[in-house]
Amino acid sequence: KVGTKELDEKVSNILRLIFRTSIAPNKPFGSLGSPEHGQAGRKIAEEGIVLLQNNNNVLPIDLGKAKKIAVIGENAIKMMTVGGGSSSLKVRYEISPLDGLKNRIGSKAEVVYARGYVGDPTSEYSGVKTGQNLKDDRSADELLAEALKVAKDADYVIFFGGLNKSNHQDCEDSDRSALGLPYAQDRVISDLAKVNKNLIFVNISGNAVNEVPAIVQGWYLGSEAGTALASVLVGDVNPSGKLPFTFPVRLEDVGAHKLGEYPGNKEELAKSKHSGDTINTTYHEDIFVGYRWADKEKIKPLFPFGHGLSYTTFAYSKPSADKKTMTADDTISFTVNVKNTGTREGQEVVQLYISDKKFSLPRPVKELKAFQKVRLAPGEEKAVTLTIDKKALSFFDDAKHEWVVEPGRFEAIIGSSSRDIKGIVPFELK
């Protein structure tokens, strides 16, 4: 049961936020939607973009050689700050990917756009109007034919696809109806790949594909989305984001689907009037979600947790620890040297996972416990040190209803992703 102490703490947290943001009579003056906010948003967006795949170094786009760049896809022009339910925003402005590319490229190359597919032409979500008119009555075959014609003789083809903020997309209150991309985008991408080898897929959320040489995870990047994406695509910014989840190859690779109960009680689902409902689902995978499930079941993901490439390359040394044993009141530090072995400046995210080798309750193969982003010039090398304490070795005991840490053997696993392991350091907790 919860007592007044816990209740007071929760109320204090809410009141503190209220006084800091809205009703405090003497709060300092500030600004809203300023140019400084826009620049901060752009930097955050640039840092978060993930380069998933870059076969044959298709990216970055070489503006010294490119004469024509074809941009395909509804998500190149559709506003993404609006929709999705409670995530819907009223922003001062939003730069689309197409406009971002045109602004950056200017007269250096011809930028040609084709719709490719029609998704959701809706211009109003929960009372917020975008002002866009995306209605297009052409058939899917007509849209595809136009896209292929534009793409055939282009030096680069950039397909902006994925999901949007509509129902059964990236929207609260309704799940996606399938793992694949909606609006027959897979067909468009497949046919584009046949006519142009320099195909780049920018995934505005949604599931990734694997049949194109270059894939960029573009997220929902806010007001400066187009500017940030253009900066990465042409190489003004070297991508350094890492995936915060696992991309599965198929739904059966996800615990909720593999164990058979999702999307819920079959009898209740049969009575539902709404397609795509999720009703009374019991999730049996316990703590084994995401990369924990993939590790436990030895499943190879499409793209693993923590994955993210760069336009440069990095080399890791053998990691080391400052001690072989620690106590519950102690800390332990792990150090690895990282060197930029490429020809341009870049950032790498060094990740520390902990593996518990002796335990009384089921434990994951490994868990992320620390990470650090390091910026390196070409040829530069830096030592990265990650320090943990007993919290990183603890787990929640549901019988005792408390966090516990058990003495025994552990491994510190250093990687550039959950699957790209660079070194392992064993240690012991006394």
Side-chain angles (χ1 to χ4, degrees):
K1 294 182 178 180
V2 177
T4 56
K5 180 178 179 295
E6 291 81 5
L7 181 61
D8 288 343
E9 289 177 354
K10 301 302 181 184
V11 173
S12 295
N13 290 339
I14 295 172
L15 289 174
R16 186 181 300 113
L17 179 63
I18 290 174
F19 283 122
R20 286 181 176 177
T21 57
S22 57
I23 68 172
N26 298 316
K27 67 179 179 181
F29 288 102
S31 60
L32 296 172
S34 68
E36 290 77 15
H37 285 110
Q39 290 305 306
R42 174 180 175 177
K43 187 176 188 303
I44 293 168
E46 291 171 346
E47 294 263 346
I49 293 170
V50 184
L51 180 61
L52 294 178
Q53 185 163 286
N54 195 25
N55 297 341
N56 303 318
N57 293 320
V58 170
L59 288 172
I61 293 170
D62 188 347
L63 292 179
K65 297 180 180 179
K67 295 181 180 180
K68 178 181 177 181
I69 298 172
V71 177
I72 314 293
E74 182 175 283
N75 282 358
I77 59 173
K78 186 177 178 65
M79 284 188 69
M80 291 295 182
T81 54
V82 179
S86 59
S87 67
S88 186
L89 302 172
K90 295 180 180 179
V91 296
R92 177 168 290 182
Y93 68 94
E94 180 179 343
I95 299 174
S96 71
L98 179 61
D99 286 340
L101 282 167
K102 286 183 175 180
N103 293 340
R104 172 58 183 87
I105 294 170
S107 60
K108 294 181 179 179
E110 179 187 12
V111 178
V112 182
Y113 175 73
R115 183 74 172 264
Y117 69 93
V118 174
D120 182 6
T122 304
S123 61
E124 181 176 347
Y125 298 87
S126 302
V128 181
K129 297 180 180 179
T130 67
Q132 290 185 298
N133 181 8
L134 299 181
K135 185 177 180 181
D136 195 322
D137 293 326
R138 288 178 293 173
S139 69
D141 288 341
E142 289 174 314
L143 291 164
L144 178 58
E146 179 194 40
L148 295 176
K149 182 180 179 181
V150 167
K152 193 171 184 179
D153 62 346
D155 297 292
Y156 293 91
V157 179
I158 311 173
F159 180 84
F160 288 90
L163 304 180
N164 54 40
K165 296 291 193 72
S166 304
N167 289 336
H168 303 292
Q169 302 286 310
D170 266 339
C171 182
E172 63 183 1
D173 194 38
S174 59
D175 287 347
R176 291 166 59 185
S177 57
L179 179 64
L181 297 175
Y183 314 124
Q185 291 179 62
D186 290 313
R187 176 195 177 196
V188 180
I189 294 170
S190 180
D191 285 359
L192 286 172
K194 294 174 183 175
V195 301
N196 198 304
K197 64 179 182 179
N198 288 333
L199 175 59
I200 303 156
F201 171 45
V202 180
N203 187 31
I204 308 301
S205 203
N207 197 53
V209 297
N210 198 32
E211 59 185 308
V212 300
I215 306 172
V216 173
Q217 180 63 27
W219 314 110
Y220 301 108
L221 298 176
S223 293
E224 290 284 339
T227 309
L229 286 167
S231 295
V232 168
L233 291 171
V234 304
D236 296 337
V237 171
N238 196 345
S240 60
K242 298 284 188 174
L243 278 183
F245 58 81
T246 300
F247 271 119
V249 174
R250 53 182 190 159
L251 282 178
E252 291 76 14
D253 293 342
V254 180
H257 292 267
K258 176 66 175 180
L259 299 180
E261 189 158 318
Y262 183 89
N265 184 283
K266 293 182 179 180
E267 292 182 1
E268 291 180 290
L269 287 170
K271 298 176 183 177
S272 174
K273 298 179 181 179
H274 304 287
S275 173
D277 270 355
T278 305
I279 302 177
N280 290 336
T281 297
T282 301
Y283 295 94
H284 296 285
E285 64 267 41
D286 197 67
I287 61 172
F288 299 100
V289 297
Y291 71 91
R292 297 174 179 180
W293 174 263
D295 283 351
K296 175 177 176 288
E297 299 297 315
K298 297 180 173 59
I299 297 170
K300 183 180 180 180
L302 183 62
F303 296 108
F305 176 90
H307 172 71
L309 303 176
S310 170
Y311 294 149
T312 189
T313 53
F314 302 98
Y316 284 64
S317 70
K318 183 179 179 180
S320 62
D322 64 346
K323 55 176 69 74
K324 293 183 179 180
T325 62
M326 65 176 290
T327 66
D329 298 323
D330 205 356
T331 63
I332 186 170
S333 297
F334 305 95
T335 300
V336 63
N337 290 342
V338 182
K339 183 177 182 179
N340 184 342
T341 54
T343 59
R344 60 175 294 165
E345 182 182 84
Q347 297 183 91
E348 171 68 330
V349 180
V350 181
Q351 301 163 40
L352 169 62
Y353 298 83
I354 295 296
S355 179
D356 191 345
K357 312 309 290 186
K358 183 181 180 181
F359 39 80
S360 60
L361 291 177
R363 303 291 299 128
V365 174
K366 63 179 179 292
E367 291 181 294
L368 179 70
K369 294 299 181 180
F371 60 90
Q372 183 177 325
K373 180 177 277 193
V374 57
R375 183 184 295 273
L376 296 167
E380 184 179 10
E381 183 174 0
K382 287 182 180 178
V384 177
T385 299
L386 299 167
T387 302
I388 60 171
D389 58 18
K390 71 174 185 179
K391 290 182 180 179
L393 311 179
S394 303
F395 60 89
F396 190 77
D397 188 320
D398 58 341
K400 297 179 180 178
H401 203 70
E402 63 182 16
W403 289 91
V404 299
V405 57
E406 297 177 336
R409 296 181 297 109
F410 293 85
E411 287 181 345
I413 303 171
I414 300 293
S416 65
S417 80
S418 61
R419 290 298 176 96
D420 188 4
I421 306 304
K422 304 298 185 180
I424 300 174
V425 181
F427 68 99
E428 188 173 358
L429 175 69
K430 292 292 188 179

